[in-house]
Amino acid sequence: MISRKYERVVFAFFMSLFMSFIMSFIISIINLGFVDGFMYKWMKAFGLAFMCAFPIIFVVAPIVHKIVHKLMKNID
């Protein structure tokens, strides 16, 4: 297993992997439809999206976590 000290990196990796995979598919379908070479075009878009998404999520996720934490109401 992976050490807890790498949790932020592992979270950013998997979140960006899944989100860029799904979003690149949806956007590719919307923009292109199922054309010849769709898989290649989608995988190219996915690769580019993942390269952007990983560092963005790594930086933004802790900020979002703090915002959500401040917005949540404690009910005890």
Side-chain angles (χ1 to χ4, degrees):
M1 293 312 259
I2 301 170
S3 172
R4 275 279 211 199
K5 68 180 179 178
Y6 299 112
E7 183 175 1
R8 187 171 161 215
V9 175
V10 173
F11 173 83
F13 176 82
F14 282 107
M15 180 61 81
S16 60
L17 183 75
F18 290 122
M19 287 299 296
S20 59
F21 185 78
I22 294 165
M23 292 303 296
S24 64
F25 176 78
I26 293 168
I27 298 301
S28 295
I29 287 292
I30 290 169
N31 287 329
L32 303 172
F34 283 114
V35 296
D36 288 338
F38 174 79
M39 289 298 292
Y40 172 77
K41 292 174 183 179
W42 172 32
M43 288 297 109
K44 184 177 176 184
F46 165 60
L48 293 170
F50 179 72
M51 288 190 307
C52 295
F54 181 70
I56 291 168
I57 290 174
F58 186 76
V59 171
V60 172
I63 297 166
V64 171
H65 180 75
K66 288 177 186 176
I67 292 168
V68 170
H69 183 73
K70 288 183 181 186
L71 291 174
M72 300 310 295
K73 182 178 181 181
N74 283 334
I75 301 175
D76 294 330

